[in-house]
Amino acid sequence: MPDVAVVGSGPNGLAAAVTMARAGLKVHVFEAAGTPGGGLRTSELMQPGHLHDICSAVQPMALASPFFRAFELSRRVELITPELSFGSPLDGGRAALAYHSLDRTVAGLGRDGPAYRRLMAPLVRRANGVADFTLNQLLRIPHDPLAAILFGLRTLEQGSAAWGARFRDELAPALLTGVAAHSVGRLPSLAPSGAGLMLGTLAHAQGWPIPVGGSVSIARAMVRDIEAHGGTVETGRSIGSLEELPAAKATLLDIAPPALLRLAGDSLPSGYRRSLESFRFGNAACKVDFILSGPVPWAAAGLADAGTVHVGGSRAEMAEAENLVAAGKHPERPYVLVSQPSRFDASRAPEGRHILWTYCHVPAGSTVDMTEAVSAQLERFAPGFRDLVVQVHVTTAAGLAEYNQNYVGGDFAAGLMDLRGLIQRPVISPVPWRTPLAGVYLCSSSTPPGPGVTGMPGFHAAKYALKDIFGLPVPRLGL
């Protein structure tokens, strides 16, 4: 019998399993799908030799995550970090470009460059403190209080009606709005503002890396480590009840609250059950993958070198698109998040071919195919794009929900990311990973710090399970 049972093999379940196995415990991971990885899967979706990331593609948070830093991810997986982290195209062949170098970014923003420097430079200088604050439970004293204060004040500014007071032109606002819109929600508002500032800080402090071979490379490295330390990862094994699990001393669940309600049945106390039942999910995504016969012909030449492109036009246009989604509508001109990994990793497509990873935001549960709207936005900023399309694969929001039960309604964040959703995730507690059931911990993105490939929900849950159940310290995780 294992000491530890882990349900779900997304990055958080695998992080929990790595931590527990490294502590010398016997770990068994149960995964319903045929392969491990959750949001870290890569597949030949359409044609042989064309490797598409099913969910997550670019990994800025992985390098910042305390778990992945301790795991020494950059020594286990080959990462390519483009000098140009992300960009936002505007009409007329212009683009706002965020380089790894803050100085180079400032130089390209014209008369708003100095204002952008004043906004971002203090955060970049204290990037470790920003990561500590944003990748942990908010109900704690941060290790770097000044970083938290600087970050909080800027989040309040960019997440309110004051977001336009700092800048005079279009480039810098478009750059910030493009990265803020990663977090599905109204613009301006606090949670998207915080997400954008955190991701922007990481862009200038470390860059946004792309794993060679796809995001599955990260999952494979974690599985190898679990197995090297005596653990087992079993795929094709769906768990319908906690009673189906072996009588392990600790159980860590990489699942969303509705799944915990199903698995636990009547064993949960009524108060905790009510908290899970009231847990809110956000809007969703429609994902459109392309095979192209050449690189995207961006009108703004600099965008060819960007690992990620935020397609939506001006700040006002992106905000309008996101606010339409928040109102339950499908925008005609959506905000489109684009990654072009084959531009940097030749292993992702045969010679002469490219893959393009895109998604746009849609209302929860949507069955609408947004391929035409996405293609139109790409054609707008990359004339001739349509002529390069070889094949398309679309996954609607309903399809995302079917792919992963944690993505309720297609919500890939596994929970609404607003101020309440950051604090009540899924309950208001200094240790929200603990459940009222003895030895049972929740470790999905529905717990702090929330979505993103960080492994931190699993690491936090494992840390408390080691302490509570086994009286063990957190082990060394590196090579």
Side-chain angles (χ1 to χ4, degrees):
M1 302 294 288
D3 300 305
V4 180
V6 178
V7 177
S9 71
N12 297 314
L14 292 177
V18 164
T19 305
M20 302 302 268
R22 282 295 191 108
L25 302 171
K26 188 176 180 182
V27 177
H28 195 118
V29 180
F30 299 88
E31 169 56 51
T35 58
L40 290 174
R41 292 193 179 102
T42 305
S43 176
E44 294 175 320
L45 277 179
M46 291 176 269
Q47 296 184 18
H50 299 75
L51 299 177
H52 305 265
D53 287 316
I54 306 303
C55 296
S56 175
V58 182
Q59 307 298 345
M61 296 170 71
L63 280 186
S65 158
F67 167 77
F68 278 118
R69 289 206 307 267
F71 186 66
E72 298 183 280
L73 179 67
S74 60
R75 294 181 60 192
R76 299 170 185 264
V77 174
E78 185 180 356
L79 302 170
I80 297 173
T81 304
E83 174 57 27
L84 179 51
S85 298
F86 61 87
S88 291
L90 291 162
D91 291 319
R94 299 171 299 149
L97 306 176
Y99 293 93
H100 187 180
S101 165
L102 179 59
D103 289 341
R104 189 174 178 186
T105 303
V106 166
L109 293 177
R111 62 176 180 168
D112 278 338
Y116 184 85
R117 184 191 298 279
R118 288 192 294 272
L119 178 72
M120 297 302 298
L123 301 180
V124 175
R125 285 194 294 267
R126 308 188 83 90
N128 289 338
V130 170
D132 168 75
F133 179 62
T134 56
L135 297 180
N136 278 288
Q137 160 71 293
L138 291 182
L139 300 179
R140 61 188 278 274
I141 298 174
H143 292 162
D144 186 345
L146 180 55
I149 291 169
L150 291 168
F151 182 83
L153 291 174
R154 284 159 171 76
T155 297
L156 287 171
E157 173 199 311
Q158 290 298 308
S160 70
W163 74 339
R166 186 180 290 263
F167 302 109
R168 296 173 290 173
D169 288 333
E170 286 190 300
L171 291 177
L175 196 65
L176 290 165
T177 308
V179 71
H182 278 238
S183 180
V184 189
R186 292 187 179 275
L187 295 174
S189 59
L190 293 179
S193 169
L197 289 171
M198 182 267 289
L199 290 170
T201 298
L202 297 181
H204 300 308
Q206 62 175 40
W208 284 14
I210 298 170
V212 172
S215 292
V216 70
S217 302
I218 298 176
R220 288 171 177 162
M222 298 171 80
V223 169
R224 284 195 297 270
D225 195 79
I226 293 165
E227 293 175 343
H229 290 85
T232 300
V233 178
E234 181 182 357
T235 58
R237 178 72 183 278
S238 179
I239 302 298
S241 167
L242 292 181
E243 295 179 355
E244 296 178 15
L245 293 170
K249 294 180 181 179
T251 299
L252 292 93
L253 305 171
D254 184 4
I255 60 176
L260 177 55
L261 287 166
R262 291 194 299 271
L263 266 61
D266 296 330
S267 61
L268 291 172
S270 59
Y272 188 79
R273 172 176 285 276
R274 284 194 297 272
S275 293
L276 296 187
E277 289 171 343
S278 67
F279 186 74
R280 302 165 306 140
F281 290 89
N283 282 315
C286 177
K287 184 168 180 286
V288 186
D289 290 284
F290 295 89
I291 293 176
L292 305 177
S293 60
V296 178
W298 299 109
L303 289 176
D305 296 324
T308 301
V309 184
H310 305 127
V311 176
S314 67
R315 165 171 273 184
E317 289 178 292
M318 286 186 273
E320 180 183 8
E322 292 300 279
N323 293 338
L324 283 170
V325 173
K329 301 176 182 179
H330 295 79
E332 291 184 13
R333 283 189 161 187
Y335 161 83
V336 184
L337 185 62
V338 177
S339 172
Q340 35 192 22
S342 57
R343 168 70 178 76
F344 308 94
D345 175 10
S347 72
R348 302 293 296 275
E351 186 175 356
R353 291 285 186 88
H354 283 270
I355 60 165
L356 197 69
W357 175 104
T358 82
Y359 72 74
C360 68
H361 298 149
V362 293
S366 169
T367 59
V368 174
D369 179 344
M370 295 291 286
T371 301
E372 175 55 32
V374 168
S375 298
Q377 284 288 66
L378 289 166
E379 182 73 22
R380 173 185 170 190
F381 296 106
F385 169 80
R386 292 181 187 274
D387 297 334
L388 300 176
V389 175
V390 175
Q391 195 168 348
V392 180
H393 182 279
V394 62
T395 307
T396 65
L400 281 177
E402 184 178 350
Y403 163 76
N404 189 327
Q405 66 174 324
N406 286 359
Y407 301 165
V408 176
D411 174 11
F412 55 87
L416 182 62
M417 292 296 289
D418 61 3
L419 187 58
R420 173 184 160 190
L422 290 171
I423 297 172
Q424 182 184 345
R425 202 163 185 91
V427 295
I428 299 175
S429 167
V431 188
W433 307 277
R434 288 190 188 121
T435 78
L437 303 179
V440 178
Y441 298 78
L442 193 62
C443 69
S444 69
S445 293
S446 299
T447 65
V453 178
T454 67
M456 290 303 291
F459 182 59
H460 286 309
K463 175 179 64 178
Y464 284 104
L466 286 172
K467 175 185 174 183
D468 298 343
I469 309 298
F470 302 100
L472 294 172
V474 174
R476 183 183 179 277
L477 303 177
L479 290 168

